[in-house]
Amino acid sequence: MVVTRIAPSPTGDPHVGTAYIALFNYAWARKNGGRFIVRIEDTDRARYVPGAEERILAALKWLGLSYDEGPDVGGPHGPYRQSERLPLYQKYAEELLKRGWAYRAFETPEELEQIRKEKGGYDGRARNIPPEEAEARARRGEPHVIRLKVPRPGTTEVKDELRGVVVYDNQEIPDVVLLKSDGYPTYHLANVVDDHLMGVTDVIRAEEWLVSTPIHVLLYRAFGWEAPRFYHMPLLRNPDKTKISKRKSHTSLDWYKAEGFLPEALRNYLCLMGFSMPDGREIFTLEEFIQAFTWERVSLGGPVFDLEKLRWMNGKYIREVLSLEEVAERVKPFLREAGLSWESEAYLRRAVELMRPRFDTLKEFPEKARYLFTEDYPVSEKAQRKLEEGLPLLKELYPRLRAQEEWTEAALEALLRGFAAEKGVKLGQVAQPLRAALTGSLETPGLFEILALLGKERALRRLERALA
């Protein structure tokens, strides 16, 4: 059975890169009828942010990436937080000491700094401490770490399923720390132990971990365990091709949700980062992605995460993929957030229908359609000028509108066209000042539709206000 996992660290906002890697882990597990696990790597206590774990899990659920095992859903391989698995790592670090694959190192931080300055990195000097002496010092409580003892000379072969085989000279592989002096493991030890104990068969992660993979391969060999298959995905890039970062791009999934991006659209866009559909189409469901997914269709070029392209795709989802009812439902929290209410479901649906070609994110709807929900809406400078130009015509139009009984789009269009013809002016010379009076803007849906939606009383009140 294929078992995949993601192992985010709760060190800040849920990251778009986590969602991207989660998506491919999820798809590969589902395609193979396997299991997808979420594990929280919270061993870096200095960078731990309270509440971050809950936000990561909530973001995965928002994106529709359900997992089979995790800290909040449980499962047969728990606990799923590394901070709750410390005795396991200590046990396996001891095991490596017994097997001669690790050693205790007692350098102080100051000594390590000096070694780094002189040698450019740790030089393995504690390898020479006789094991009995190291054990005695450890029993006396002397602070120390446990390091991997890389076999030298020698080579380590890493097979990446997307890149082929790379052979590393063991001289280039450092004796990394496996267990820190506070008893917490480093990523290297914890992730190998957990992946093995949780039955992970396929490790799909970002390519920045490729350089660490020889260390992990050596650890599998040291324990006598079969290594999983490794797939290192291309890193998401900023538009300037640098690695995606919050300095240059929005990386927080919470930001995308708050800005009114649809989870379906963001998920679809992330699928296109490194993957293309056989028929070249860009809009597809999660199920269609899973069905079409093969590793042969993953490209290793650095995919550029382009916010404008995502906005375009989000707009396509709003206009072409979701039903009108669904879009109306989804804009409700954003209307409430803006302090706006609506008189009926039918009114809201019609408002969304009229505005649908004009907004690309859910948050833009209340911003651009404010005049449909409240009398407290801004008036643009252009609209103000147009209103002032057209005041003489609007004064004459007002009694005609007041006398109009049939308040439908067709009847209002006939009235306005007839009025413009009678005055010997183009329709726009009447319509634009009226639009400005009713909406405070010149960029709105059709005027007859807006008049009909606002209703006679509200439209007349706004016109009276403008004429005053």
Side-chain angles (χ1 to χ4, degrees):
M1 185 202 281
V2 166
V3 179
T4 65
R5 51 77 169 169
I6 55 153
S9 297
T11 54
D13 287 1
H15 199 282
V16 71
T18 302
Y20 158 66
I21 296 297
L23 185 55
F24 285 84
N25 275 281
Y26 173 89
W28 188 233
R30 294 290 173 261
K31 173 136 193 136
N32 291 285
R35 295 177 74 70
F36 170 49
I37 298 173
V38 173
R39 181 172 77 225
I40 299 294
E41 303 211 329
D42 59 349
T43 54
D44 187 343
R45 301 316 281 176
R47 294 175 60 220
Y48 175 77
V49 173
E53 177 192 313
E54 290 74 14
R55 285 162 57 210
I56 291 166
L57 299 175
L60 291 172
K61 288 176 186 144
W62 175 67
L63 281 168
L65 302 178
S66 58
Y67 39 94
D68 304 295
E69 301 176 36
D72 56 339
V73 296
H77 303 104
Y80 293 92
R81 287 181 199 92
Q82 288 187 335
S83 58
E84 295 170 7
R85 298 171 66 82
L86 298 183
L88 278 172
Y89 310 128
Q90 284 149 6
K91 172 186 146 188
Y92 283 101
E94 296 282 347
E95 178 69 24
L96 291 175
L97 288 168
K98 284 197 195 93
R99 290 170 176 243
W101 273 91
Y103 59 94
R104 299 186 194 272
F106 297 86
E107 292 83 12
T108 63
E110 295 72 30
E111 287 170 327
L112 284 172
E113 190 51 45
Q114 195 56 41
I115 294 168
R116 272 191 210 104
K117 276 186 189 149
E118 288 168 15
K119 313 275 185 178
Y122 186 65
D123 58 3
R125 60 184 61 184
R127 282 174 169 236
N128 303 321
I129 301 171
E132 317 74 62
E133 184 192 320
E135 290 309 313
R137 286 169 72 176
R139 276 197 300 276
R140 287 200 299 272
E142 191 175 334
H144 66 284
V145 299
I146 295 179
R147 289 182 177 272
L148 174 66
K149 192 173 191 176
V150 176
R152 299 195 184 102
T155 57
T156 299
E157 197 174 273
V158 170
K159 184 182 181 199
D160 177 81
E161 302 295 327
L162 302 178
R163 291 171 175 76
V165 174
V166 184
V167 178
Y168 293 83
D169 181 343
N170 287 0
Q171 292 296 342
E172 304 300 312
I173 304 172
D175 285 1
V176 292
V177 173
L178 300 175
L179 200 68
K180 295 179 277 194
S181 56
D182 60 4
Y184 274 80
T186 60
Y187 173 80
H188 305 297
L189 178 66
N191 107 82
V192 167
V193 168
D194 289 345
D195 283 347
H196 173 71
L197 295 180
M198 293 180 181
V200 173
T201 59
D202 295 64
V203 170
I204 303 161
R205 58 188 177 188
E207 66 186 341
E208 62 195 315
W209 293 110
L210 192 55
V211 293
S212 300
T213 308
I215 296 166
H216 306 156
V217 168
L218 282 173
L219 283 168
Y220 280 103
R221 198 198 302 170
F223 286 120
W225 298 336
E226 190 184 339
R229 289 178 287 271
F230 293 102
Y231 307 78
H232 289 89
M233 295 292 294
L235 287 175
L236 295 183
R237 304 273 169 194
N238 294 309
D240 66 3
K241 297 290 170 66
T242 53
K243 178 187 165 184
I244 196 165
S245 65
K246 60 184 174 193
R247 281 194 306 285
K248 294 184 181 174
S249 300
H250 292 286
T251 57
S252 167
L253 292 169
D254 290 347
W255 183 85
Y256 290 95
K257 187 179 180 184
E259 284 297 305
F261 286 90
L262 302 164
E264 299 92 330
L266 179 56
R267 198 172 62 203
N268 186 160
Y269 185 60
L270 288 172
C271 291
L272 293 171
M273 300 285 102
F275 174 84
S276 60
M277 275 296 206
D279 58 6
R281 75 196 140 123
E282 293 193 295
I283 307 281
F284 46 84
T285 65
L286 185 56
E287 286 63 39
E288 289 166 334
F289 170 59
I290 292 166
Q291 211 171 344
F293 184 76
T294 63
W295 289 108
E296 287 67 37
R297 300 207 61 80
V298 170
S299 107
L300 295 178
V304 171
F305 189 89
D306 180 348
L307 190 57
E308 285 316 301
K309 178 78 191 275
L310 173 60
R311 283 180 69 85
W312 166 83
M313 182 169 279
N314 207 64
K316 292 278 277 189
Y317 265 80
I318 284 170
R319 287 183 275 286
E320 298 171 22
V321 179
L322 296 188
S323 68
L324 177 63
E325 291 70 23
E326 188 61 50
V327 180
E329 200 52 46
R330 304 246 193 137
V331 295
K332 285 177 181 176
F334 292 87
L335 284 166
R336 290 190 193 104
E337 181 77 14
L340 302 174
S341 57
W342 51 99
E343 61 196 49
S344 69
E345 291 299 311
Y347 182 91
L348 176 60
R349 267 202 303 279
R350 182 63 178 143
V352 169
E353 187 176 13
L354 293 182
M355 290 300 297
R356 216 169 173 187
R358 295 173 178 273
F359 66 99
D360 289 325
T361 69
L362 300 174
K363 191 182 176 187
E364 280 179 355
F365 176 70
E367 289 166 4
K368 291 186 172 181
R370 191 172 173 84
Y371 56 81
L372 293 176
F373 298 94
T374 177
E375 297 310 301
D376 174 24
Y377 52 87
V379 179
S380 75
E381 279 179 40
K382 277 187 190 166
Q384 188 60 40
R385 280 201 299 276
K386 192 58 78 178
L387 177 59
E388 284 160 12
E389 274 171 36
L391 276 177
L393 282 170
L394 290 181
K395 278 181 179 145
E396 291 186 61
L397 175 64
Y398 175 76
R400 311 272 184 104
L401 281 169
R402 182 148 213 103
Q404 177 70 20
E405 286 191 2
E406 191 192 340
W407 201 266
T408 62
E409 288 167 24
L412 290 162
E413 181 173 359
L415 168 70
L416 288 171
R417 286 188 187 282
F419 178 77
E422 182 192 313
K423 295 293 164 195
V425 296
K426 290 183 178 152
L427 178 64
Q429 288 171 272
V430 179
Q432 285 295 70
L434 181 56
R435 188 191 301 276
L438 296 176
T439 68
S441 171
L442 300 178
E443 291 157 18
T444 73
L447 177 62
F448 316 123
E449 288 90 340
I450 282 178
L451 271 166
L453 181 62
L454 286 173
K456 183 173 178 177
E457 263 183 65
R458 193 151 41 149
L460 287 174
R461 266 204 317 275
R462 289 186 184 186
L463 188 50
E464 285 158 16
R465 200 167 67 210
L467 293 174

